[in-house]
Amino acid sequence: MHSILKTTTTTTTIPTSGSITTSLITTDLLSTDIYDPRITRPFALIFLFIGSIGNSLSFIVFSQKPLRAYSTFRYLAYLSIVDLLVLYLGLGHLILHDYFLFDIREQNLFSCKLHTFLTYVTTHLSSWILTMVSIDRAIACTIVQLRKRFSRPKSADRIFMAMCLIISIINSHILLFMGSKERISLSSSSNISSYKDIIVCTHNTSAAYFQFFEKPYNIIDLFSYVLIPFLIMSMCAGIIAYRLFFSLNNSTVKILTNGKTRRGTRRAKQNSYMLFILNIVFILLLAPIALGQIFQDLNQEYRYRLFNSITLLLSYSNHALNFILYGVASPQFRLTLRQLLGAVVSSSTVKKSTACSQSSSDERSQSPSLKKHKIKNNKLIKQQQQQLSKLLVYLICVQLQYGIVLELDPTIMPLLLRLHLAHHQLNLVLLAQHGKVNT
């Protein structure tokens, strides 16, 4: 049997069991029968939108220097990228098919093989990354000697690369045998026939491969994607819960001697709480898929259309909503996210302040020229004032010596008055520039 998650991406072309058919009408009806589009369409868009933002932010947060120094957060950074790929490979394919009637697997044989291969690899890898996080935290809580060698960032990188290689090898048969190209007859009239080549993206390419895919590989898929991670996470969750609620509270606290040890123990407990919640959510969301795989009859899938639609959305919610779980369960994640958002906001305010400072600096750069211009005007005014003062003194001396003539002369007296007024106005201008005029 297929995993529910993969059925959406492998049964949109032909039935997953039975003989190969070239009837396009039958395939369209089957893809509608297995899932209810009225349920999957809106939620596919919602989960893809939320998962894109959440996993991108999670990867950025877990890649920050304070967090990437820990193996747990290194695994979760990889998990964010893999979950993002799962959403775009699965929900993106579903959205293109349901909204735009476009199937990427039907374009050519290479896209059929590659898309199917990546779908299986990323879903298996997502489950096993979370499983390795559970093992990492269980070892960190119990075995001190092994923790120093296993719970390190470099060890997490090596284990992730090893998992990618092993899972790719397990699913490599898809690249070799999945899908086939067939020719169908469109019409025939007067001894003239027209044909069309179509891509049949299914595992039913040969009797041997069909039997292998339906029996051994389907069991491998079920165990590797759901059951084995389910069992390992359950055991690790029990170990972590015991250490959290009993052992750490009774024994470890007595050994604490300094603030650094207290901070380390508090951080370990916070990470264990977060992982415990992730494990519980994983078990709850994927348990219906495991039950469906065990008890459903593959040839009667159309009878479980509502159940298949719900379990499909539950499985994708496991890849889309981890961001919310990180925020709820991990104080370190919340703190780093706030610091990151604060840095973004502060950088925007710094840009605004730098723009304002540049404008003010431009004003300051223009101020020396303005000062030079004012100084030059003041010098000219003072020179004019000195010349007028000399002329006034001269005229006053003349008036004292020849007062009668000046009083009777109608031309000299108005000139003297004008000179006196001009001298007074120059004084006012100088005093106003120095801020000494009150009125």
Side-chain angles (χ1 to χ4, degrees):
M1 293 183 296
H2 285 292
S3 165
I4 291 293
L5 183 63
K6 283 86 172 181
T7 307
T8 55
T9 56
T10 55
T11 60
T12 55
T13 306
I14 67 167
T16 56
S17 61
S19 61
I20 298 176
T21 178
T22 57
S23 174
L24 299 179
I25 298 176
T26 304
T27 57
D28 287 339
L29 289 175
L30 181 66
S31 64
T32 306
D33 283 341
I34 296 176
Y35 301 103
D36 190 346
R38 295 172 298 179
I39 299 175
T40 58
R41 283 179 184 176
F43 284 100
L45 289 173
I46 294 172
F47 286 158
L48 185 63
F49 176 76
I50 296 175
S52 299
I53 297 176
N55 286 308
S56 300
L57 284 176
S58 298
F59 176 75
I60 294 172
V61 171
F62 291 132
S63 299
Q64 299 302 304
K65 189 174 181 179
L67 297 185
R68 69 170 181 262
Y70 300 97
S71 58
T72 299
F73 295 120
R74 188 70 66 96
Y75 282 120
L76 293 178
Y78 289 133
L79 181 63
S80 301
I81 294 298
V82 173
D83 281 344
L84 195 62
L85 292 175
V86 171
L87 292 176
Y88 275 93
L89 289 170
L91 291 180
H93 177 255
L94 189 66
I95 290 170
L96 289 176
H97 184 271
D98 287 346
Y99 283 92
F100 305 101
L101 301 179
F102 176 81
D103 194 338
I104 191 173
R105 296 186 176 188
E106 295 178 351
Q107 303 310 305
N108 53 67
L109 196 58
F110 175 75
S111 63
C112 166
K113 294 175 180 292
L114 182 63
H115 189 274
T116 307
F117 171 76
L118 291 177
T119 301
Y120 276 88
V121 168
T122 52
T123 49
H124 291 173
L125 193 58
S126 175
S127 297
W128 277 101
I129 291 174
L130 196 55
T131 303
M132 291 308 302
V133 178
S134 302
I135 297 173
D136 179 83
R137 292 314 310 162
I139 291 175
C141 290
T142 55
I143 308 173
V144 179
Q145 291 83 2
L146 189 58
R147 178 181 60 188
K148 295 179 180 179
R149 298 178 54 187
F150 187 81
S151 301
R152 295 189 304 172
K154 291 184 179 179
S155 300
D157 296 336
R158 296 191 189 101
I159 292 172
F160 174 75
M161 297 303 296
M163 286 192 302
C164 291
L165 181 61
I166 293 172
I167 292 174
S168 297
I169 292 173
I170 293 174
N171 295 281
S172 60
H173 61 89
I174 296 174
L175 296 174
L176 300 176
F177 304 107
M178 177 64 67
S180 62
K181 183 183 292 186
E182 295 195 359
R183 177 167 293 184
I184 60 173
S185 176
L186 296 179
S187 62
S188 60
S189 60
S190 64
N191 298 326
I192 299 176
S193 300
S194 59
Y195 298 93
K196 179 182 179 182
D197 291 332
I198 62 170
I199 302 300
V200 182
C201 194
T202 180
H203 59 279
N204 199 1
T205 54
S206 66
Y209 188 63
F210 177 80
Q211 292 297 326
F212 165 76
F213 207 95
E214 286 293 317
K215 298 295 182 180
Y217 181 71
N218 205 16
I219 295 173
I220 293 172
D221 176 41
L222 177 62
F223 274 81
S224 61
Y225 179 58
V226 181
L227 293 183
I228 296 178
F230 181 90
L231 294 174
I232 295 176
M233 288 184 193
S234 300
M235 291 187 293
C236 292
I239 295 172
I240 293 170
Y242 174 78
R243 294 290 294 175
L244 283 176
F245 298 110
F246 298 100
S247 181
L248 283 177
N249 292 332
N250 297 330
S251 61
T252 308
V253 176
K254 298 178 182 179
I255 307 173
L256 298 178
T257 56
N258 52 39
K260 184 177 180 179
T261 308
R262 287 191 177 88
R263 287 193 299 270
T265 305
R266 184 169 60 251
R267 186 186 300 113
K269 292 183 68 173
Q270 291 171 354
N271 294 341
S272 299
Y273 278 125
M274 177 187 67
L275 184 60
F276 182 76
I277 294 176
L278 290 177
N279 290 343
I280 295 300
V281 171
F282 177 87
I283 293 170
L284 292 177
L285 293 179
L286 294 188
I289 294 179
L291 295 175
Q293 293 293 304
I294 294 172
F295 296 108
Q296 271 192 18
D297 183 3
L298 184 62
N299 296 323
Q300 304 292 327
E301 280 186 324
Y302 62 92
R303 295 184 177 181
Y304 313 104
R305 188 170 58 182
L306 178 61
F307 177 81
N308 291 340
S309 301
I310 295 174
T311 54
L312 175 75
L313 296 176
L314 288 177
S315 64
Y316 279 116
S317 66
N318 175 60
H319 303 285
L321 303 179
N322 281 338
F323 172 77
I324 299 174
L325 300 178
Y326 299 148
V328 171
S330 176
Q332 286 178 280
F333 181 84
R334 294 195 299 270
L335 177 62
T336 307
L337 180 61
R338 282 198 300 266
Q339 291 175 349
L340 189 62
L341 295 177
V344 172
V345 174
S346 62
S347 63
S348 62
T349 55
V350 166
K351 288 181 181 179
K352 293 181 181 180
S353 63
T354 51
C356 296
S357 62
Q358 286 178 356
S359 62
S360 62
S361 63
D362 293 337
E363 293 177 356
R364 287 194 299 270
S365 62
Q366 294 176 358
S367 60
S369 60
L370 294 174
K371 289 181 180 179
K372 290 181 180 178
H373 184 66
K374 289 180 180 180
I375 292 172
K376 188 175 180 181
N377 289 337
N378 290 339
K379 288 181 179 180
L380 291 175
I381 292 172
K382 287 182 179 179
Q383 289 176 0
Q384 293 175 0
Q385 186 183 21
Q386 290 176 357
Q387 293 174 359
L388 289 173
S389 298
K390 291 179 181 179
L391 184 58
L392 282 173
V393 171
Y394 174 74
L395 290 175
I396 289 171
C397 292
V398 172
Q399 185 185 15
L400 292 175
Q401 187 175 1
Y402 307 101
I404 299 173
V405 178
L406 292 173
E407 288 176 1
L408 297 175
D409 192 345
T411 58
I412 295 178
M413 290 302 297
L415 177 61
L416 184 62
L417 291 173
R418 284 199 297 272
L419 288 173
H420 181 69
L421 290 173
H423 185 270
H424 181 66
Q425 289 177 354
L426 288 173
N427 283 329
L428 292 176
V429 170
L430 289 173
L431 293 173
Q433 289 181 355
H434 291 286
K436 296 180 180 180
V437 178
N438 295 327
T439 60

